[in-house]
């Protein structure tokens, strides 16, 4: 494991993270590590999407899939 020090975190961002950590009954550090873990997983999605080949003869394009994902995100 590596250590990370964050600098120049805006006061409002720090306060929001501290509140969220408290509401999840976690330390600020463990809460932020969980969020950073989620971000790290998402950063690999760009490469996956760029290399994705839709199944043949389904009539579903990458654009259709992206639109469906966008629609679900906006609904939640």
């Amino acid at each position: 494991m590596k250590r990370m020090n964050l600098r120049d975190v805006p006061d409002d961002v720090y306060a929001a993270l501290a509140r969220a950590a408290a509401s999840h009954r976690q330390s600020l550090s463990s809460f932020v590590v969980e969020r950073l873990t989620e971000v790290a997983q998402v950063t690999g999605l760009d490469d996956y999407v760029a290399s994705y080949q839709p199944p043949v003869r389904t009539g579903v394009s990458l654009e259709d899939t992206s639109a469906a994902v966008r629609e679900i995100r906006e609904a939640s």
Side-chain angles (χ1 to χ4, degrees), residues 15-57:
L17 289 170
R19 282 192 305 274
S23 72
H24 285 88
R25 295 186 174 146
Q26 292 179 292
S27 69
L28 178 58
S29 180
S30 63
F31 182 79
V32 170
V33 168
E34 280 187 12
R35 299 298 77 75
L36 288 174
T37 301
E38 292 170 2
V39 169
Q41 292 170 349
V42 171
T43 59
L45 291 179
D46 288 341
D47 293 333
Y48 174 76
V49 169
S51 67
Y52 179 74
Q53 297 296 318
V56 183
R57 286 176 252 146

Side-chain angles (χ1 to χ4, degrees), residues 42-73:
V42 171
T43 59
L45 291 179
D46 288 341
D47 293 333
Y48 174 76
V49 169
S51 67
Y52 179 74
Q53 297 296 318
V56 183
R57 286 176 252 146
T58 62
V60 177
S61 69
L62 182 56
E63 289 77 22
D64 295 334
T65 306
S66 297
V69 169
R70 238 180 265 109
E71 183 178 327
I72 291 168
R73 283 184 182 164

